[in-house]
Structures are given as structure tokens and as C-alpha cells.
Amino acid sequence: MVQYGATQGHRDPQNTVDDPRTSREDDALLGADATARRPKKDGHATLTSSTSNLANTIIGSGMLTFPLALASAGLIPGIITCAFSGAVGAFGLYLLSLCAAKAPHRRASFFTVAELTFPRAAVFFDAAIAIKCFGVSISYLIIIKSLMPNVVMALYHDLTSPDVNPPTWMLSGQNWITLIMIPLVPLTFLRKLDSLRHTSYIALFSVAYLVVIVIVCYFFPLEGTQKPGEIHLIKFTPGFVSTFPVQVFAYTCAQNLFPIYNEIQSNNQKRMNIVIGTSIGSAALIYEIIAVFGYLTFGSKVGPNIIAMYPTTSLFIAVGQLAIAILVMFSYPLQVHPCRNCLDKVFHAGHVPKPVTATEDDIIEDEHHPSHDMSDLKHSLLTIAIVASGFTIAYFVDDLKLVLSFVGSTGSTTISFILPGLFWWKLSRDDPSANKLLSKASLGLAIYGMFIFVFCLSFNIYGLFHPESENVH
């Protein structure tokens, strides 16, 4: 296997030849050392943009359920399980970053790592990831569809008069997702994840606004706020069974770890640890704040959507609902991106290219085409198919909760725990220089993921026949 470590040698950068033909002639004359001395091309994404994109992938509408998670177990267990889920998620990302270093230069993906570990299952892994990302992208559109009419109604009454209703067309969820797709579609065609950094900045500002809401409304309750119920430090209820998976899946972002690794400047382990630690750490902090202050505000009476608990007659809250719509809207392209890349590998399964050598790797690298194996036509067709089919489903379907619960329990668990653990365990098992404790821990993560997989899948199947159990808190 070709090693892709740091380049050595003292070749003058001015004499580095970019022309493929000249490069091949040099290699033929000078031997393999010429290839080793040629510097690898670096990425262009900054630490800030990479962290923002990963954090935006993590933080979604699931954070609104965290106060209910605390109510189902008590303040102390809820805080502990939230931090534990974040730590396990960070460990999975860390293992994936180690695996990425074993892949060809800046061509890391679930497919390439699977080719090194479980080649026969590589296509199935990518298919599972594609289905998971596609399902999540649809859920984002459905959230916008259900949320925007309420936002419009609240803003319209606050800015005009409570007795005046907005036009009928403004209260149609279908109209709103149609309008929102206009600015979203161009974003889905971007090849680089780093190109979405500005929308991630905006989305994270929306998250900050929601944090301000739960803090302010705890210290200064709005008029009409519901009186809080009982508050317990420790009290497990049957609802914990349904809320714990929400905490586990709230940190899912592994689908975008490899693109970030490929695009970030100087993708050494230290910089990747900063990206992983900062994004997971900031997400955990935000989840904890929303969970604690939301639970302390409403106690046992808290609902599954904390923002819906506050009076919508307040402009302060109405803007917060709009912030959620903005957050979800700008998270949509972050799901289309990995979905498209995984589908490309699935459709390419019958004729997977041979392993890339160092010489070919340097020649292929092109900042305008970071997805090396996907032509412009294929890129466009896959994007159109994903967006069009997702929009059509979201337009006509109002509730995908059942489907998404199964997709989340299987897909999220697989890419966040099972695959990272198995990948690194397989890569390090026969490596005498590998940390044996880390290798055992990676196998433990995979086993933990399998347990979560079985537990959540069983709970979802049970919920099919006992739907009333989902309402027990």
C-alpha cells in the first residue's frame, strides 16, 4: 500500500512541474524518488470554516428536544448522558480522521477507507449513508413546511394587528418550501463543502439566538408563559427510552468528516482534533444550556419542542422560530453534499477504478474538481435527482417521523459508531506500531454502536404496535 506521509527532499518549488506529461517523463528518468519529492497540494479551507461546517452539520432541530430528555431522567442524569453522547461522538470522529490519513492524498471517503478494510461491503456502506442523508434532507424541508406558516402568522400579527390575518398563500407550507428552494438549489450544486461556510455562519448565529431565548425567558418569563411543573435532580421515567436516542443521534456529523479532512489546510491530526473538539464541544455546550434552562423553565410540563412552549404573541419568540427555519434551511445543502458523493460511489460500483498511485494522485488533484471521479454531467444529474425527489416527497408528505426513526436508528448508528470502530480496528489490528489500547477501544465503540442499533431498532418496531408508548414521559 502506498504511504501518504510528509514529503521530503529539497527540490526547488520553482522547478516543480505541473504538466502531467513532464511529470511522467521526470518520474521515468529519476525513478520513484521524483514522485516522493513532489509536494502534495494543500487544501484551502480554514480551521474556522471547517469547524463551522461540521458544527452546523451537528446542530439541528434535535436540540429543541433536549429539555424533554432532562425531564425524562432528571437534571443530573440528563446532563451526564448529553455529555457522554458528545464524547462518544467525538471519539468516532477521531477514529475516522485516523482512517482518513490512511487513504490516498485528500481522497478520503467512506468508500476509499472501506476499500482498505471491507472492500466487498464498501458499496453497501455508501448506500446506507446516502439513504440516511437523503431522509434527513427531506425532514428539513418538512420542518420548514410546517414551521413557516406559524412564523408568518406570529410575525404578521406582531408587526401589524392581531385582528388582521396574512394572505392565504402565505399560510401554505407547500408555497414556502417552493420559495425557499429557489435560493437553496444553487447551494446544493457547490462541489466544495467549504463553499457553504458563509451559510453555516448564518445558521450558527441562529443557534446563538435560540440560546439567548431560553436563558432570557428563564430569568425574565414572558407574559402568558406556562407555570413550571416539578423539577427533579434524578427521576427516570419510561420516556427516557425514547429520548436517549435523540441525544445519541444529535451529534451525528460523520458524513461530512471526510470532505472536511480533504479540504482543510494542513490536514494533520492536531488540526483535525481542533476541528472535532471545537465542533462537538460547542454543540454539547449549546445542548446543555438549552436542556438545563428549558427544563428549569417548564419542569415536568416541558414538551418535545422547547420553542413551541413560549408564547408566540411575542416578537422575540417569533424571530426565534424564524431562526429555526433559517438553521434548518442552511443545513439542507450539508446533507445533499454527502448524499451525492455516496450515490456516485454506489453507481460506480461496477467499475471501481484501480488504486491511485502517488504519481496519478498529484496529477488528478484539481482545486476546481475536488470530487475526482465525478464528471460535471454526473454531478449535475445526481444533484437534480436528489433535490427534485426530496422536494416532491416533502411537498406531498407531512410526516416522515416513522421512516426517519428507522433511518436514524440504523444509518446514524452505522456511520457514527459501527463503521469508525470497525474501520480503525481493522486498520490497526495487524499494525505493530498502532496503539493496542486504542484498537480495543475502537472495537468497543463498534460494539456500543451495535447495541444502540439493536436497541433503537427494537424500540421503533415496538412503537409500531404500541404507539401510545411514545407519548409516555
Side-chain angles (χ1 to χ4, degrees):
M1 181 177 68
V2 179
Q3 298 295 324
Y4 294 91
T7 57
Q8 300 177 351
H10 305 283
R11 184 175 181 178
D12 185 357
Q14 304 247 341
N15 294 329
T16 300
V17 182
D18 291 330
D19 181 65
R21 292 169 299 179
T22 309
S23 298
R24 292 182 188 276
E25 291 172 1
D26 288 347
D27 293 345
L29 293 174
L30 301 178
D33 288 341
T35 297
R37 289 196 299 267
R38 215 169 36 247
K40 304 289 186 182
K41 289 191 176 182
D42 201 4
H44 301 283
T46 64
L47 271 176
T48 301
S49 65
S50 299
T51 303
S52 298
N53 280 330
L54 193 60
N56 190 24
T57 306
I58 298 170
I59 303 172
S61 58
M63 66 181 172
L64 303 176
T65 308
F66 269 80
L68 181 62
L70 262 67
S72 67
L75 194 63
I76 295 177
I79 292 175
I80 293 174
T81 53
C82 178
F84 172 77
S85 298
V88 174
F91 182 56
L93 294 178
Y94 173 70
L95 293 180
L96 284 181
S97 66
L98 294 179
C99 295
K102 301 290 186 180
H105 181 65
R106 297 194 179 277
R107 299 191 66 180
S109 67
F110 277 98
F111 187 86
T112 55
V113 175
E115 283 284 287
L116 300 174
T117 53
F118 305 97
R120 294 185 178 181
V123 173
F124 298 102
F125 293 158
D126 274 276
I129 297 168
I131 293 172
K132 184 263 177 189
C133 294
F134 181 66
V136 173
S137 69
I138 295 174
S139 72
Y140 286 163
L141 296 181
I142 292 179
I143 290 173
I144 295 173
K145 174 183 174 181
S146 61
L147 186 62
M148 284 306 298
N150 296 330
V151 172
V152 170
M153 181 70 77
L155 290 175
Y156 203 86
H157 287 169
D158 287 328
L159 298 176
T160 57
S161 170
D163 300 326
V164 179
N165 291 325
T168 304
W169 71 268
M170 296 182 69
L171 299 178
S172 169
Q174 285 88 349
N175 289 343
W176 276 109
I177 60 171
T178 303
L179 291 173
I180 285 174
M181 290 303 291
I182 295 175
L184 273 187
V185 169
L187 297 177
T188 62
F189 279 87
L190 296 174
R191 282 181 174 266
K192 284 186 177 181
L193 201 65
D194 185 55
S195 302
L196 298 170
R197 62 188 182 278
H198 299 297
T199 57
S200 291
Y201 297 153
I202 297 173
L204 293 179
F205 275 118
S206 301
V207 174
Y209 187 85
L210 294 175
V211 172
V212 171
I213 286 179
V214 295
I215 295 177
V216 170
C217 289
Y218 169 70
F219 290 105
F220 307 99
L222 297 173
E223 184 180 355
T225 301
Q226 184 179 14
K227 296 293 183 180
E230 296 180 352
I231 296 175
H232 302 277
L233 291 180
I234 300 176
K235 185 182 180 181
F236 287 95
T237 68
F240 179 73
V241 177
S242 61
T243 57
F244 178 69
V246 173
Q247 297 186 62
V248 173
F249 302 145
Y251 294 95
T252 301
C253 63
Q255 66 269 22
N256 280 332
L257 191 279
F258 287 131
I260 287 174
Y261 180 89
N262 295 335
E263 297 176 12
I264 190 173
Q265 298 169 357
S266 304
N267 56 358
N268 55 61
Q269 193 59 50
K270 180 179 179 180
R271 288 171 65 83
M272 288 303 300
N273 289 345
I274 293 175
V275 172
I276 294 170
T278 305
S279 57
I280 289 285
S282 59
L285 179 61
I286 289 169
Y287 291 159
E288 295 280 24
I289 292 175
I290 292 177
V292 170
F293 283 96
Y295 177 54
L296 292 179
T297 301
F298 298 102
S300 58
K301 295 181 180 178
V302 70
N305 182 349
I306 185 63
I307 198 68
M309 298 293 296
Y310 301 106
T312 56
T313 54
S314 169
L315 181 62
F316 181 50
I317 302 301
V319 174
Q321 292 180 327
L322 180 60
I324 297 174
I326 293 174
L327 168 65
V328 172
M329 179 176 70
F330 287 143
S331 297
Y332 177 78
L334 292 173
Q335 297 296 331
V336 175
H337 188 279
C339 180
R340 177 179 58 231
N341 290 342
C342 290
L343 284 178
D344 173 47
K345 300 298 188 299
V346 171
F347 294 135
H348 212 61
H351 41 93
V352 177
K354 63 179 181 179
V356 181
T357 64
T359 305
E360 294 169 334
D361 195 49
D362 283 335
I363 296 171
I364 293 174
E365 190 72 32
D366 184 343
E367 62 178 296
H368 299 296
H369 298 282
S371 184
H372 308 282
D373 300 326
M374 200 184 316
S375 65
D376 290 338
L377 176 61
K378 191 174 186 179
H379 173 92
S380 300
L381 290 177
L382 284 177
T383 305
I384 293 172
I386 294 169
V387 173
S389 56
F391 170 79
T392 302
I393 295 173
Y395 190 91
F396 292 104
V397 177
D398 293 325
D399 186 9
L400 277 179
K401 182 179 179 181
L402 179 62
V403 175
L404 290 177
S405 64
F406 280 93
V407 171
S409 62
T410 56
S412 296
T413 308
T414 300
I415 68 175
S416 297
F417 309 127
I418 299 177
L419 291 185
L422 289 180
F423 282 163
W424 184 247
W425 173 75
K426 186 69 178 292
L427 288 172
S428 61
R429 183 179 56 175
D430 299 323
D431 185 356
S433 63
N435 186 318
K436 298 305 178 183
L437 180 60
L438 183 63
S439 180
K440 292 179 180 178
S442 65
L443 182 59
L445 178 68
I447 295 174
Y448 168 79
M450 294 175 187
F451 170 77
I452 295 296
F453 185 106
V454 174
F455 171 78
C456 294
L457 189 60
S458 300
F459 178 77
N460 289 332
I461 295 174
Y462 178 82
L464 283 177
F465 302 98
H466 302 83
E468 69 279 0
S469 63
E470 298 183 2
N471 298 321
V472 177
H473 303 305

